[in-house]
């Protein structure tokens, strides 16, 4: 049984483009198991845009990762040794395991799942994990979508965005999706089923939105902030809802992050703009998983993953997400 581990520690706060040297690969020894403990071999680490914020001193829903600590990350792994009846050898678990290849845990904060119920264990980090839950609760709880709504989704070829497109379509909405480049736009339309797709990199986003949503927008599921959020604000329907899921266009900007200029439209359109964080919904996970399971059974839910291999390629994997090179849920295979 391997008692050593490798882990990626945060050793400096990034500024501007994320560099490899803000992280350091360290090795160490894990202890023998005590009563109630288990040893986990980590298989996949989830790469999330918000990690760029957690590396800084910026205030967010998680405190900054302290310098010298293992980089925080959601991950899945297999139990390879156990003295905890709840998590026997061979069980798969998910949780905030960090960017490392092995750990000893007392089981607190871990959730067991059955990989045989999924097309691939990695789905526990994509549509059947926080990604799918974020799209589901963002749309249904914050966005209060209903059949017939015009729903706009940004970063629609990405992990959360692609789930949001499929859920909104399944619930009878008309979906207008934004993505960057022809390959992603084709995927969003042909595979995910969006009604209209806008390649936001081609220029006048406002004009494209007006053409795709001539009667305005009921719900905007915002993953990016910035210019796209401003263009949507100008085209709201009465009682529109803006779901603030993320603002990836501003994550590297620190205190220079730009807010929306057109927010006064919310007043005249009696609209609402509300942020949310998925950790507040974890006690309702079963509700979302049941709905997503139904969609999957009906053949209406697919998931694409984009895998980078090796702990030492973590920074590269995160840069892919921040620059749009990822196509699907970005994972790091350990
Ligand atoms: P994605 O898989 O969507 O990857 C990010 C995508 O964002 C890129 O592929 C790129 O797609 C797009 N993007 C990057 N920069 C820009 C830019 N400047 N303008 C427009 N698009 C850009 O990541 P996730 O699905 O993991 O996350 C999506 C969003 O959801 C993030 O903002 C994230 O922080 C947020 N989130 C929020 C949660 C919550 O609880 N509120 C939970 C999980 C995620 P393209 O090539 O199309 O530009």
């Amino acid at each position: 049984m391997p008692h050593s581990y490798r882990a990626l520690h945060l050793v400096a706060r990034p500024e501007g483009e994320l560099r490899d040297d803000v992280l350091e690969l360290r090795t160490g020894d894990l202890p023998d198991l005590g009563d109630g403990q288990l040893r986990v071999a980590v298989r996949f680490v989830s790469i999330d845009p918000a990690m760029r914020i957690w590396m800084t001193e910026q205030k967010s829903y998680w405190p900054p990762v302290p310098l010298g600590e293992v980089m925080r990350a959601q991950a899945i792994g297999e139990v390879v040794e156990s003295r905890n009846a709840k998590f026997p050898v061979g069980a798969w678990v998910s949780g905030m395991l960090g960017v490392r290849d092995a750990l000893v845990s007392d089981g607190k904060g871990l959730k067991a799942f059955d990989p045989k119920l999924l097309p691939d264990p990695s789905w526990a980090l994509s549509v059947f994990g926080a990604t799918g839950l974020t799209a589901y609760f963002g749309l249904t709880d914050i966005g209060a979508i209903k059949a017939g709504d015009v729903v706009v989704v940004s970063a629609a070829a990405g992990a959360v965005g692609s789930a949001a497109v499929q859920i909104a379509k399944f619930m009878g909405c008309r979906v207008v999706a934004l993505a960057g480049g022809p390959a992603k736009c084709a995927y969003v339309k042909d595979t995910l089923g969006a009604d209209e797709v806008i390649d936001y990199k081609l220029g006048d986003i406002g004009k494209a939105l007006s053409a795709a949503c001539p009667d305005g927008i009921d719900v905007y599921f915002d993953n990016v902030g910035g210019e796209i959020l401003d263009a949507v604000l100008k085209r709201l329907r009465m009682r529109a809802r803006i779901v603030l899921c993320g603002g990836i266009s501003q994550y590297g900007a620190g205190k220079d992050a730009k807010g929306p200029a057109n927010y006064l439209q919310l007043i005249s359109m009696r609209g609402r703009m509300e942020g949310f964080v998925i950790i507040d919904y974890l006690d309702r996970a079963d509700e979302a998983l049941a709905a997503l399971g139904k969609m999957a059974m009906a053949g209406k839910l697919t998931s694409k993953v984009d895998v980078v291999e090796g702990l030492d390629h973590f920074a590269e994997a995160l840069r892919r997400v921040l620059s749009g090179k990822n196509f699907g849920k970005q994972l790091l295979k350990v």
Side-chain angles (χ1 to χ4, degrees):
M1 197 61 57
H3 277 31
S4 63
Y5 72 92
R6 297 188 317 140
L8 216 52
H9 293 249
L10 183 71
V11 293
R13 303 273 176 218
E15 276 173 39
E17 170 131 17
L18 179 68
R19 294 192 346 217
D20 288 353
D21 60 7
V22 299
L23 296 142
E24 199 174 279
L25 194 61
R26 296 182 188 164
T27 56
D29 289 322
L30 292 172
D32 290 332
L33 296 190
D35 270 349
Q37 289 189 317
L38 55 143
R39 193 180 307 279
V40 180
V42 178
R43 299 297 183 220
F44 287 102
V45 172
S46 174
I47 304 295
D48 295 298
M51 288 171 152
R52 177 65 182 75
I53 295 177
W54 304 343
M55 290 172 154
T56 68
E57 297 283 2
Q58 216 172 308
K59 209 173 152 210
S60 85
Y61 54 93
W62 287 110
V65 176
L67 287 180
E69 290 288 308
V70 176
M71 182 60 204
R72 177 188 299 131
Q74 176 86 15
I76 56 173
E78 272 182 276
V79 179
V80 290
E81 189 187 348
S82 180
R83 292 184 63 183
N84 182 322
K86 214 173 137 202
F87 301 102
V89 171
W92 279 72
V93 292
S94 67
M96 280 292 181
L97 309 181
V99 186
R100 62 175 121 213
D101 64 1
L103 70 149
V104 165
S105 162
D106 60 6
K108 234 164 90 189
L110 297 188
K111 200 168 179 292
F113 68 94
D114 183 352
K116 288 191 222 76
L117 299 178
L118 306 173
D120 184 274
S122 67
W123 277 47
L125 288 174
S126 61
V127 279
F128 286 114
T131 298
L133 266 53
T134 300
Y136 178 82
F137 287 115
L139 284 172
T140 57
D141 208 58
I142 310 292
I145 56 167
K146 54 185 185 323
D149 278 347
V150 174
V151 176
V152 172
V153 179
S154 54
V160 173
S162 60
V165 168
Q166 295 174 90
I167 294 166
K169 274 307 293 176
F170 192 73
M171 294 180 73
C173 302
R174 179 168 177 273
V175 177
V176 175
L178 293 105
K184 288 188 179 182
C185 286
Y187 172 73
V188 170
K189 194 157 177 102
D190 302 340
T191 305
L192 304 181
D195 296 282
E196 299 270 351
V197 186
I198 296 170
D199 183 345
Y200 75 93
K201 290 187 174 165
L202 289 183
D204 196 333
I205 298 164
K207 207 168 143 196
L209 277 172
S210 293
C213 316
D215 300 320
I217 296 161
D218 295 297
V219 175
Y220 174 43
F221 191 97
D222 187 18
N223 285 314
V224 305
E227 201 189 334
I228 299 176
L229 172 58
D230 251 330
V232 169
L233 275 163
K234 268 192 171 168
R235 291 162 180 84
L236 298 180
R237 262 183 179 170
M238 200 59 93
R239 303 248 171 241
R241 289 84 71 199
I242 295 185
V243 181
L244 292 182
C245 175
I248 196 168
S249 72
Q250 307 299 314
Y251 285 175
K255 54 185 181 335
D256 297 325
K258 286 196 182 63
N262 298 330
Y263 76 97
L264 292 178
Q265 287 299 313
L266 290 167
I267 302 172
S268 38
M269 301 316 285
R270 288 77 158 172
R272 172 163 66 77
M273 181 151 98
E274 185 175 346
F276 78 105
V277 176
I278 193 55
I279 50 179
D280 297 341
Y281 288 89
L282 296 182
D283 58 346
R284 287 175 60 190
D286 287 348
E287 174 189 332
L289 292 173
L292 293 164
K294 229 183 246 173
M295 285 177 63
M297 299 285 274
K300 301 286 184 192
L301 187 66
T302 187
S303 168
K304 194 176 173 65
V305 291
D306 184 332
V307 179
V308 166
E309 220 167 312
L311 277 187
D312 43 344
H313 289 117
F314 168 81
E316 178 198 327
L318 184 50
R319 279 195 298 271
R320 286 176 66 76
V321 169
L322 297 170
S323 64
K325 286 202 180 77
N326 69 310
F327 196 165
K329 172 69 193 171
Q330 186 71 61
L331 298 174
L332 189 71
K333 189 171 180 197
V334 180

